[in-house]
């Protein structure tokens, strides 16, 4: 495969992704030549100018007198992607980019300010690029360095309108997400404004009004035997009443009672030897800062430096109630439970989750809540009890963008400080899943499914018979202390169960279990039942009772650290109310009774789906009707340059999630189902099929049955006029020596070509070759080499947490 | 060569599990069971105890060198009938002096005893070990020889008041090295209690040696060390290792079964099998009548192939491979084609590899280094390469 990679035009493996995109590793992200002539406006030429446009001094300028276009003809190619780059050098403008001269085929429309901007788009129709400036929202502006280049990547568009979980590289279950940078400004309150004091270091004898006994000498401010109220002062011109300032006064010697006062009637603060730091609202009636002896006895003082700087100079924070800035923190203290808060406008909140984190310092009492304010604020009690870092996950608030940290009412009087506040947007929707189940990465694509159990990981709502449950007892497959301990309180039948309403059809229940005392667990889904050995990960007996259900299957999946996911599937014949008995510890396979009082089993992640197989874990936390993970799509990669319609090879290493009787496709196509090469898991169990259509006529259609499509298979389809072949796992399983090739292939999609029959499964690799490879190359491409075998073993052993003291022996010995 | 559908190279394990390299989805992993602790030689060459249900990847020591790759050690149940296996507590010493904790023992601890004889007529003996009459026993101990001549052992029948035998073990020990001495004997008729002796028959004194790890088992061979630290006899439970694969793993129509093993003795019949978990469809690589043997049963337990080599069964490493295909069955041992059967049906429904015949019948005991199943009948050339040491 390594040697063949240079021949591939598209290669995608589970490596990189973003929100709504799965990146391919080949072709490397590349841009074509600049299609714009005179994009730097060096001369007044090559562009067609509307009445409001001029070209001069190396820029094109729009004077905002009328809606007007600046355009240039470009030869775009249909279905290719392009990137427009430009720089607004002055002003701001409402600009529409159109892919035709003056027509209304919009690429994008937005308001742009000074700076460099880019716009990516896929060309559909038109004859050129038009920069259409509007007088509606923007104003006059100048634009420079306009370029248009073709984007030659083969990245996929990805969609999923919900969150979803995966097994991450640490082999822990997690909700996939992409986090933003910290959205909070000045979260540690360390920002300070400019110096407001003139000659605060007393370098010269100036700028200060000195009363009798005050002198400035040798870089110091001195008072010798100064009388009461005789001051030195300076009018601090830059301060604003009501704003908080950090004042520092370094006192190198002192006797007597000296104070500093801000404004003529402001609060006074007593000075002491050393560095005095005062964070205070400038609450006097004027700007004067005065220092004087506030006692009737004469005093002496030497001051080295005076400084006044505004705290939170950019006014990022709004303080309410008794909240006040301190030294790199905000202090909350009230003996009357006064509603107090700090707020910051977090603009452009999206429909996401946000992680709000802060540090509590100097905690004495009270409660603190965080969230987003507005007419219907969403605020979560952090349950602070001591100093430390606290975190909350908060949904965005549609009626207000202000982050709020405030005292929580039920906490009563309060006294604590907060600092180091951060807000991270957690984007979960539309994030592809690189899943490491069994240790090696694959792209996981699943259909929509709902966990019908409202509380997947909270045992309080479950019925228990001779079982006591302790939630959040031990480390779960998520790596968090959130798995429950289930303890038998007698011998005999001990179980935990939850009720559900079933329609006629297939249901699959699953539960993560870890052995402490019992090897065997009995699980019952409606009238279907099965035993599982959670010591060895083996399935036990199974069956069904009564006539309401038929047992279909049961299986066990290892999740490492001795956790096993036990899965049972049954068919509900008669709709009605039933129970999912997710854990009943028993003495042996086939037994219904526990043989041990005070025996422990660990329990996590209960899931019930109306499917014939279990899908990835869907956490629920009380949602009525459960939680739904949306269906996933992956499509729109590549273009006609990367996909040769005349000849080539389409390769994929994929596995199915189940034999569910459906077609699950991955295709090269022309945007329709008429010209395509489709690889699919067929509706027949364990079938792999290759289907090629040219002008809607089937020219190659081959199906091969493998041992199990639940295992990965390396599949290659060679296409060339009158020369077609299907290779699976190193073996040519079908050929056809007649037929035409598809026409106009220009994209790769994980469906049949019309958005249906999506490939729900796992994909380790997909590649497109622009030439028909030789049989030797195809055999090599679709075979598994020794190194790969060993690495698969290595990763699986890491995943299951095996003792791997002799893995090198497998590597050495496995010389096949 | 083709890629196996199942391959187990002893290299990773967990509680009750021996992992296979192939298939990678875990279907080929073995389920392991042993209801007691046991000992193995670890990577550092020292004897160590592993917990209940933990498979033993044992690192053989060859010419004093610990081998880099382990084997999967599978043994029958056995009981060490000697109390205090690591000290001479309860032993009587005449004209001999014991210094306990005098040397680092094979388990890496300073717990081996030094015995120095000072005169003729010495004896070091444990005088009360209940046994069964007319039964084969094997006594074993670790000895690190220092000097002197004439070290002997003796078994004495307390019931009948007679010697069972004297034996010389000088040829089993080496100066300055730990060696395990083994001696197999049969108790006489009526014998229900014996004595175990260490002697020095030479007139050259002193005779000095270190001793550790005494073990008496009711077997014709010695098994891995079973400590009896508390003074009570201890039993290591039987080990099983089965149930690898499923119907998707194997091709019943044709295939190749390959094993690389050391059998634990030269006399018993041991079997490793692929089957449908019944006797109806089964492929067996085995020992039979002290020879290496290949058998295929198909459909209704009728024998499709039965090929017995004329190569004597040993405890040395042996590589066996058998192929099956309609009217084509071959058996290779250590690079040589032993035989071929050109008439017979392929089995149906193969779905599991077991270290036994079926159930607990004729289990394999010994050391397994490589187990593979291919879903095609390999060629003679391939089989020759595969089974050549």
């Amino acid at each position: 495969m390594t040697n063949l990679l240079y021949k591939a035009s598209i290669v995608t493996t589970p490596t990189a992704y973003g929100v709504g995109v799965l990146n391919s590793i080949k072709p490397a992200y590349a841009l074509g030549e600049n299609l714009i002539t005179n994009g730097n406006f060096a001369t007044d030429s090559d562009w067609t100018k509307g009445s409001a446009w001029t070209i001069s001094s190396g820029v094109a300028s729009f004077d905002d007198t009328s809606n007007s276009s600046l355009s240039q003809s470009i030869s775009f190619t249909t279905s290719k992607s392009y990137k427009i780059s430009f720089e607004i050098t002055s002003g701001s403008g409402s600009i529409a980019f159109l892919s035709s001269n003056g027509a209304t085929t919009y690429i994008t429309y937005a308001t742009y300010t000074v700076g460099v901007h880019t716009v990516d788009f896929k060309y559909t129709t038109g004859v050129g690029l038009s920069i259409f400036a509007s007088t509606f929202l923007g104003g006059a502006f100048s634009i420079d360095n306009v370029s248009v280049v073709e984007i030659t990547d083969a990245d996929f568009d990805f969609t999923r309108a919900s969150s979803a979980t995966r097994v991450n590289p640490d082999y822990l279950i997690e909700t996939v997400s992409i986090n933003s940078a910290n959205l909070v400004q000045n979260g540690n309150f360390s920002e300070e404004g400019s110096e407001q004091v003139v000659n605060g270091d007393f370098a010269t004898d100036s700028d200060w009004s000195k009363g009798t006994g005050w002198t400035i000498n040798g870089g110091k401010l001195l008072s010798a035997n100064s009388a009461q109220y005789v001051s030195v002062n300076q009018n601090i011109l830059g301060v604003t009443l009501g704003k908080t300032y950090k004042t520092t006064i370094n006192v190198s010697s002192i006797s007597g009672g000296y104070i500093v006062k801000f404004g003529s009637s402001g609060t006074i603060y007593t000075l002491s030897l050393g560095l005095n730091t005062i964070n205070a609202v400038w609450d006097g009636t004027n700007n004067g800062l005065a220092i004087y002896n506030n006692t009737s006895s004469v005093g002496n003082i030497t001051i080295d430096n005076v400084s006044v700087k505004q705290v939170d100079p950019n006014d990022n924070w709004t303080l309410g109630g008794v909240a006040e800035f301190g030294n790199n923190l905000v202090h909350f203290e009230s003996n009357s439970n006064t509603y107090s808060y700090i707020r910051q406008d977090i603009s452009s909140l999206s429909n996401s989750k946000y992680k709000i984190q802060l540090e509590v310092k100097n905690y004495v009492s009270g409660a603190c809540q965080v969230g987003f304010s507005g007419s219907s604020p969403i605020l979560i009690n952090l349950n602070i009890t001591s100093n430390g870092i606290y975190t909350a996950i908060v949904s965005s608030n549609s009626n207000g963008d202000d982050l709020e940290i405030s005292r929580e009412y039920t906490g009563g009087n309060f006294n604590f400080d907060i600092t180091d506040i951060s807000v991270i947007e957690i984007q979960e929707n539309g994030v592809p899943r690189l899943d490491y189940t069994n240790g090696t990465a694959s792209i996981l694509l699943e259909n929509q499914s709902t966990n019908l159990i409202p509380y997947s990981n909270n045992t309080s709502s479950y019925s228990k018979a001779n079982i006591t449950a302790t939630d959040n007892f031990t480390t779960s497959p998520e790596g968090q202390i959130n798995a429950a301990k289930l303890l038998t309180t007698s011998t005999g039948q001990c179980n935990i169960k939850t009720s559900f309403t079933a329609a006629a059809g297939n249901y699959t229940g699953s539960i993560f279990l870890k052995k402490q005392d019992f090897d065997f667990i009995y699980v019952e889904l409606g009238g279907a039942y099965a035993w599982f050995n959670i010591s060895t990960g083996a399935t036990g007996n199974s069956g069904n009772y009564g006539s309401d259900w038929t047992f279909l299957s049961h299986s066990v999946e290892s999740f490492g650290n001795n956790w096993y996911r036990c899965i049972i599937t049954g068919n509900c014949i008669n709709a009605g109310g039933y129970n999912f008995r997710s854990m009943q510890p028993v003495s042996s396979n086939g037994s219904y009774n526990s043989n041990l009082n005070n025996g422990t089993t660990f329990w996590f992640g209960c899931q019930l789906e109306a499917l014939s197989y279990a899908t990835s874990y869907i956490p629920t936390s009380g949602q009525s009707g459960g939680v739904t993970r949306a269906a996933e799509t992956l499509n729109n990669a590549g273009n006609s340059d990367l996909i040769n319609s005349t000849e080539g090879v389409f390769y994929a290493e994929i596995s199915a999630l189940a034999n569910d009787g459906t077609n699950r496709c991955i295709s090269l196509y022309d945007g329709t189902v008429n010209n395509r090469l489709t690889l699919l898991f067929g509706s027949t169990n364990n079938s792999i099929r290759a289907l090629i259509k040219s002008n809607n006529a089937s020219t190659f259609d081959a199906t091969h049955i493998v041992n199990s499509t639940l295992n990965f298979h390396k599949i290659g389809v060679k296409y060339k006029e009158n020369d077609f072949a299907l290779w699976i796992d190193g073996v040519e399983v079908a050929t056809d020596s007649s037929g035409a090739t598809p026409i106009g292939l220009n994209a790769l999609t994980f469906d049949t070509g019309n958005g249906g029959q999506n490939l729900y499964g796992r994909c380790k690799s997909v590649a497109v070759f622009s030439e028909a490879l030789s049989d030797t190359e195809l055999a090599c491409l679709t075979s598994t080499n020794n190194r790969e075998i060993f690495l698969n073993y290595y990763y699986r052993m890491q995943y299951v947490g095996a003792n791997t003291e002799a893995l090198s022996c497998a590597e050495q010995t496995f010389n096949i | 060569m083709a890629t196996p559908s199942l391959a187990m190279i002893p290299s990773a394990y967990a509680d009750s599990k021996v992992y296979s390299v192939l298939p990678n989805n875990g279907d080929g992993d073995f389920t392991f069971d042993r209801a007691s602790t046991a000992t193995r030689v670890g990577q550092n060459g020292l004897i160590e105890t592993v917990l209940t249900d933990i498979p033993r990847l044992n690192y053989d020591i060859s010419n004093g060198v610990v081998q880099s790759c382990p084997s999967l050690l599978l043994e029958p149940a056995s009981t060490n009938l000697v109390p205090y296996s690591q000290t001479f507590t309860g032993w009587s010493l005449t004209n001999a002096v014991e210094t306990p904790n005098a040397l680092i023992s094979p388990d890496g601890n300073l717990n081996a005893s030094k015995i120095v004889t000072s005169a003729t007529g010495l004896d070091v003996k444990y005088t009360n070990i209940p046994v069964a009459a007319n039964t084969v026993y094997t006594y074993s101990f670790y000895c690190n020889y220092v000097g002197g001549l004439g070290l002997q052992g003796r078994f004495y029948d307390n019931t009948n008041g007679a010697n069972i035998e004297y034996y010389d073990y000088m040829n089993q020990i080496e100066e300055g090295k730990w060696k395990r001495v083994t001696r197999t004997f049969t108790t006489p008729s009526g014998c229900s209690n014996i004595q175990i002796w260490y002697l020095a028959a030479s007139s050259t004194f002193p005779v000095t040696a270190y001793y550790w790890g005494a073990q008496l088992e009711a077997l014709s061979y010695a098994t891995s060390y079973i400590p009896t630290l508390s003074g009570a006899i201890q039993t290591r439970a039987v080990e099983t290792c089965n149930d690898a694969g499923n119907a998707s793993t194997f091709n019943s129509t044709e295939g190749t079964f390959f094993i690389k093993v050391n059998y634990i003795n030269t006399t018993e019949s041991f079997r490793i099998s692929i089957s449908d978990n019944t006797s109806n469809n089964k492929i067996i690589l085995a020992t039979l009548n002290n020879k290496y043997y290949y058998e295929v049963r198909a459909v209704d337990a009728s024998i499709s192939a039965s090929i017995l080599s004329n190569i004597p069964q040993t405890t040395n490493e042996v590589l066996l491979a058998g192929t099956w295909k309609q009217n084509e069955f071959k058996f290779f041992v250590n690079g040589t084609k032993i035989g071929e059967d050109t008439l017979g049906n392929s089995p149906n429904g193969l779905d599991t590899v077991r270290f036994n015949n079926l159930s607990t019948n004729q289990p394999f005991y010994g050391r397994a280094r490589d187990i593979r199943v291919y879903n095609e009948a390999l060629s003679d050339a391939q089989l020759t390469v595969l089974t050549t040491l």
Side-chain angles (χ1 to χ4, degrees), chain A residues 67 154 312 341 366 398 453 484 488 586-587 642 662 746 785 788 804 813:
Chain A
N67 298 337
D312 189 35
Y341 61 85
S398 60
I453 295 177
T488 57
V586 296
S587 60
L642 299 172
T662 65
N746 59 28
N785 61 52
E788 189 177 351
T804 55
T813 309

Side-chain angles (χ1 to χ4, degrees), chain A residues 319-646:
Chain A
L319 277 61
V322 298
E324 59 184 15
F325 289 113
N327 194 18
N328 294 338
L329 50 77
V330 168
H331 181 60
F332 287 78
E333 182 175 0
S334 171
N335 291 324
S336 56
N337 200 8
T338 303
Y339 181 55
S340 304
Y341 61 85
I342 62 172
R343 291 176 182 155
Q344 183 173 132
D345 179 24
I346 308 290
S347 58
S348 67
L349 282 182
S350 61
N351 184 25
S352 297
K353 292 178 181 175
Y354 290 83
K355 177 184 176 184
I356 303 175
Q357 182 171 293
L358 56 79
E359 181 174 4
V360 173
K361 291 184 172 179
N362 306 311
Y363 180 81
V364 177
S365 62
C368 178
Q369 60 187 4
V370 299
F372 297 104
S373 62
S375 57
S376 300
I378 300 173
L379 294 163
I380 292 177
N381 189 346
L382 286 178
N383 296 312
I384 64 172
T385 55
S386 61
N387 293 342
I389 295 172
Y390 293 85
T391 299
I393 304 297
V394 184
S395 298
S396 58
N397 183 357
S398 60
N399 51 48
D401 280 349
D402 278 359
L403 166 70
E404 177 175 313
I405 296 104
S406 53
R407 74 92 174 89
E408 201 278 329
Y409 177 77
T410 60
N413 299 338
F414 53 88
N415 182 354
F416 58 84
D417 299 332
I418 62 169
T419 188
D420 288 339
I421 302 163
S422 65
V423 174
I424 306 292
E425 180 184 1
I426 304 170
Q427 291 183 275
E428 296 176 342
N429 294 6
V431 178
R433 289 185 289 173
L434 272 53
D435 185 85
Y436 289 77
T437 297
N438 278 332
T440 52
S442 61
I443 302 158
L444 174 60
L445 297 166
E446 290 182 309
N447 198 356
Q448 174 177 306
S449 186
T450 299
N451 185 355
L452 299 168
I453 295 177
Y455 288 97
S456 63
N457 202 39
N458 182 332
T459 60
S460 59
S461 65
Y462 289 70
S463 299
K464 306 172 194 76
N466 299 319
I467 287 278
T468 59
T470 307
D471 285 337
N472 304 318
F473 182 85
T474 192
T475 303
S476 78
E478 291 182 326
Q480 302 173 29
I481 308 292
N482 61 354
K485 173 185 177 181
L486 302 186
L487 184 71
T488 57
T489 57
S490 76
T491 55
Q493 291 207 22
C494 312
N495 59 63
I496 180 170
K497 63 185 179 183
T498 186
S499 61
F500 67 101
T501 301
N506 294 333
Y507 286 83
T508 297
S510 58
I511 183 69
F512 295 86
L513 298 173
K514 181 176 179 176
K515 173 194 170 182
Q516 174 76 9
D517 294 315
F518 297 95
D519 285 347
F520 286 92
I521 301 295
Y522 172 76
V523 174
E524 189 176 286
L525 175 63
Y529 57 80
W531 282 265
F532 300 88
N533 185 333
I534 60 171
S535 176
T536 64
T539 53
N541 297 347
S542 60
N544 50 265
Y545 61 81
S547 57
D548 292 329
W549 286 73
T550 301
F551 169 84
L552 294 179
S553 66
H554 64 322
S555 60
V556 183
E557 296 175 356
S558 172
F559 275 75
N561 194 27
N562 297 319
W563 279 101
Y564 290 101
R565 192 182 196 192
C566 301
I567 302 166
I568 179 172
T569 299
N571 177 260
C572 177
I573 299 166
N574 295 313
Y578 298 98
N579 287 315
F580 177 28
R581 190 178 302 191
S582 57
M583 204 240 20
Q584 180 165 316
V586 296
S587 60
S588 62
N589 183 24
S591 168
Y592 294 93
N593 295 319
S594 158
N595 58 338
L596 183 63
N597 188 10
N598 290 326
T600 293
T601 305
F602 300 117
W603 180 100
F604 171 81
C606 191
Q607 183 156 312
L608 176 64
E609 302 168 86
L611 289 172
S612 61
Y613 57 95
T615 69
S616 59
Y617 176 49
I618 305 169
T620 62
S621 54
Q623 296 87 349
S624 176
V627 170
T628 297
R629 183 195 57 249
E632 295 171 307
T633 68
L634 188 65
N635 53 44
N636 200 28
N639 54 49
S640 57
D641 286 346
L642 299 172
I643 305 170
N644 183 5
S645 297
T646 308

Side-chain angles (χ1 to χ4, degrees), chain B residues 78-334:
Chain B
S78 186
T79 300
N80 186 356
L81 300 169
V82 180
Y84 298 110
S85 60
Q86 293 178 192
T87 69
F88 282 91
T89 303
W91 292 62
S92 64
L93 281 70
T94 302
N95 294 326
V97 176
E98 180 213 1
T99 304
N101 303 324
L103 188 67
I104 301 291
S105 78
D107 74 357
N109 296 310
L110 186 64
N111 58 7
S113 294
K114 180 181 180 181
I115 298 292
V116 179
T117 62
S118 59
T120 56
L122 80 93
D123 50 59
V124 179
K125 58 193 175 191
Y126 198 91
T127 59
N128 180 19
I129 297 181
V131 294
N134 302 316
T135 302
V136 174
Y137 285 87
T138 296
Y139 182 62
S140 60
F141 58 95
Y142 290 85
C143 180
N144 191 316
Y145 172 63
V146 177
L149 295 173
L151 288 177
Q152 288 185 324
R154 178 193 189 193
F155 304 110
Y156 182 82
D157 179 353
N158 284 332
T159 312
N160 297 309
N163 285 328
I164 299 174
E165 70 166 358
Y166 287 91
Y167 64 98
D168 186 329
Y169 58 86
M170 288 299 291
N171 62 344
Q172 294 190 60
I173 59 178
E174 188 175 347
E175 183 177 338
K177 293 182 179 177
W178 282 109
K179 293 288 184 180
R180 194 180 196 193
V181 176
T182 62
R183 185 68 178 181
T184 300
F185 64 99
T186 303
T187 52
S189 177
C191 175
S192 62
N193 195 287
I194 66 168
Q195 298 179 17
I196 296 173
W197 291 51
Y198 299 122
L199 302 168
S202 170
S203 59
T204 303
F205 293 100
V207 180
T208 305
Y210 298 89
Y211 292 88
W212 185 85
Q215 181 161 308
L216 180 68
E217 305 168 84
L219 291 170
S220 62
Y221 51 92
T223 67
S224 60
Y225 174 52
I226 305 167
T228 55
L229 306 180
S230 66
I233 63 173
Q234 294 292 332
T235 297
R236 183 194 58 244
V238 64
E239 292 172 310
T240 62
C241 191
N242 298 311
D243 299 331
N246 57 35
S248 296
T249 310
F250 308 111
N251 177 13
S252 297
T253 307
E254 69 169 291
T256 301
F257 189 20
F258 166 75
I259 65 172
K260 182 179 181 182
V261 299
N262 295 71
Y263 293 103
I264 202 167
N265 65 37
T266 61
T267 56
E268 293 183 72
S269 292
F270 302 111
R271 295 191 167 195
I272 303 176
S273 66
I274 315 171
S275 73
D276 64 351
N277 258 323
T278 75
S279 291
N280 294 335
N281 293 281
K282 190 162 51 178
I283 295 164
I284 302 162
L285 287 171
T287 57
L288 178 68
N289 300 329
N290 308 331
K291 304 284 195 310
Y292 301 114
Y293 175 62
Y294 180 53
E295 178 182 300
V296 178
R297 290 176 183 259
V299 186
D300 57 356
S302 61
I303 293 178
S304 294
S306 175
I307 306 173
L308 181 65
S309 77
N310 59 3
I311 302 173
Q313 174 182 346
T314 74
T315 58
N316 298 329
E317 184 174 273
V318 63
L319 287 73
L320 310 180
T323 68
W324 68 94
K325 194 174 182 181
Q326 186 76 12
N327 299 328
E328 184 181 310
F329 304 86
K330 302 173 186 174
F331 182 36
F332 277 69
V333 178
N334 290 344

